[in-house]
Amino acid sequence: VRSKNIEELFTKPTKKTLFQLYFYAYLYKKNFPEKIIKTGFYVARSIGGGILFPGNGTPVEAEVMNEFSDRLKLLLDELYDPAIPFSQTEDLKRCEYCPYKIICQR
């Protein structure tokens, strides 16, 4: 992921896998700041295919990790801000497999 695409990780549900990868990378980097990080994942339906590496396996750049960290902080600040009311998604497709949909009656 390039620096200019970080915002998409927070705004496009189709990027949830990459968001998860970068969130794990962020947590790892917090504990091991001196380590070089490469992100990768297995696709369950083709587990024999090995690890898929976004960016062809190049290490995550410090600039990208910093931008992800900054954007994550903004998201958390928004979630915990009592002045910003909670609102449900307008995209009902996102509720299809949600284990909590019975609570909001979707």
Side-chain angles (χ1 to χ4, degrees), residues 1-2 6 11 13 20 31 33 37 41 43 49 51 60 69 71-72 78 86 90 93 101-103:
V1 171
R2 297 196 173 179
I6 290 296
T11 58
Q20 186 175 1
N31 288 300
I37 299 173
F41 58 94
V43 176
I51 301 173
V60 178
S69 175
R71 184 60 180 83
L72 181 62
E78 183 180 316
F86 174 79
E90 298 295 324
K93 290 180 186 176
K101 68 181 179 181
I102 194 165
I103 294 170

Side-chain angles (χ1 to χ4, degrees), residues 4-83:
K4 65 180 181 174
N5 298 337
I6 290 296
E7 185 63 23
E8 290 183 352
L9 301 181
F10 292 86
T11 58
K12 291 187 176 182
T14 57
K15 303 286 185 177
K16 65 184 177 185
T17 302
L18 286 175
F19 176 90
Q20 186 175 1
L21 282 176
Y22 279 84
F23 183 69
Y24 291 153
Y26 165 79
L27 295 175
Y28 187 84
K29 194 70 169 171
K30 290 298 251 182
N31 288 300
F32 305 100
E34 72 286 350
K35 297 283 187 176
I36 295 173
I37 299 173
K38 292 182 182 180
T39 59
F41 58 94
Y42 286 101
V43 176
R45 65 182 167 265
S46 58
I47 197 97
I51 301 173
L52 296 177
F53 294 100
N56 296 319
T58 58
V60 178
E61 297 173 8
E63 176 187 346
V64 171
M65 206 66 310
N66 290 336
E67 189 173 337
F68 182 86
S69 175
D70 292 345
R71 184 60 180 83
L72 181 62
K73 183 180 180 330
L74 288 173
L75 176 64
L76 293 173
D77 287 347
E78 183 180 316
L79 286 173
Y80 287 107
D81 185 346

Side-chain angles (χ1 to χ4, degrees), residues 81-99:
D81 185 346
I84 299 175
F86 174 79
S87 63
Q88 292 176 295
T89 182
E90 298 295 324
D91 182 2
L92 294 180
K93 290 180 186 176
R94 295 182 74 182
C95 301
E96 192 172 332
Y97 298 105
C98 176

